[in-house]
Amino acid sequence: MIQVRGLTVCYGERTVLDGLDMILPDGVSCLTAPSGAGKTTLLRVLAGLLKPLQGSVELPGRPILLFQEDRLFPGLSAWGQVEWVLPKPRRDEAGYFLELVELGGDRDKHPEELSGGMARRVSLARCLAAGAALNAGVYLLDEPFAGVDPERAARILERLRGLGKPILLTAHSPDLAARCDRIVEL
């Protein structure tokens, strides 16, 4: 369960989150709001990357964050991107995470050879692998399906649900949001 109490975050004079209270049970939750309404800010606070002005956060274990930007390493293949975050004895698991995001056949492609949606899925696979390596308690996914076709995104979302970890993701797609266990609007 994710619990947020009285969360207030400001950037200078601009208040982005003002006394936010939220309780999310386990499962897949989708955070929706117009651009600039604080979705990424909330994920950064939950991940411990941003300190709120006031309020508290309780998470079911260590969080792992998928950034909105892909942040792929130049010169590393899709396999290498995922393998890089796994401990040596578990590096062969990179294939599992690439299959999870439907990129098993593209393991040797480098960032410059990937479409936008493929790059996004490599980033997601790497995030999931890091979470598995660190035994993350919750996945915080900022626009995990940007550039991914809706049918593929739906299939991957079902696989994510099977990981058995709480997931909070942001999405602009109403169809994707509808496939989540709950929708939270900021």
Side-chain angles (χ1 to χ4, degrees):
M1 179 181 328
I2 298 171
Q3 296 183 51
V4 175
R5 292 186 196 93
L7 196 67
T8 300
V9 179
C10 300
Y11 293 112
E13 297 292 317
R14 182 172 174 247
T15 300
V16 179
L17 299 172
D18 190 10
L20 178 67
D21 290 311
M22 178 176 73
I23 297 176
L24 298 175
D26 290 348
V28 180
S29 300
C30 181
L31 191 59
T32 65
S35 293
K39 299 182 300 291
T40 297
T41 296
L42 177 57
L43 291 183
R44 287 176 175 268
V45 169
L46 293 173
L49 298 177
L50 184 62
K51 186 173 169 52
L53 184 63
Q54 63 186 17
S56 65
V57 170
E58 288 180 38
L59 300 174
R62 177 187 294 199
I64 194 86
L65 173 65
L66 172 69
F67 290 95
Q68 205 173 65
E69 309 83 20
D70 295 327
R71 299 182 181 200
L72 297 179
F73 302 116
L76 286 183
S77 66
W79 178 278
Q81 303 283 338
V82 178
E83 180 185 55
W84 191 82
V85 300
L86 292 167
K88 281 187 181 183
R90 295 182 60 186
R91 289 197 172 154
D92 60 336
E93 293 176 33
Y96 164 77
F97 293 103
L98 289 171
E99 290 291 337
L100 195 142
V101 299
E102 300 186 4
L103 282 171
D106 298 298
R107 62 182 273 165
D108 296 326
K109 289 189 176 178
H110 287 76
E112 65 275 7
E113 301 171 300
L114 300 171
S115 69
M118 291 170 79
R120 193 71 192 135
R121 289 185 284 140
V122 170
S123 296
L124 177 58
R126 186 176 60 194
C127 173
L128 298 172
L134 297 171
N135 195 25
V138 60
Y139 287 100
L140 307 170
L141 308 177
D142 202 352
E143 295 291 336
F145 301 113
V148 179
D149 64 88
E151 296 80 18
R152 187 183 311 268
R155 291 191 304 267
I156 295 170
L157 181 61
E158 284 310 306
R159 291 186 196 105
L160 295 181
R161 187 176 270 116
L163 295 175
K165 300 280 185 177
I167 296 170
L168 177 59
L169 61 87
T170 65
H172 288 288
S173 163
D175 292 335
L176 182 64
R179 293 181 182 275
C180 295
D181 299 327
R182 71 203 53 77
I183 299 171
V184 179
E185 292 187 38
L186 284 184

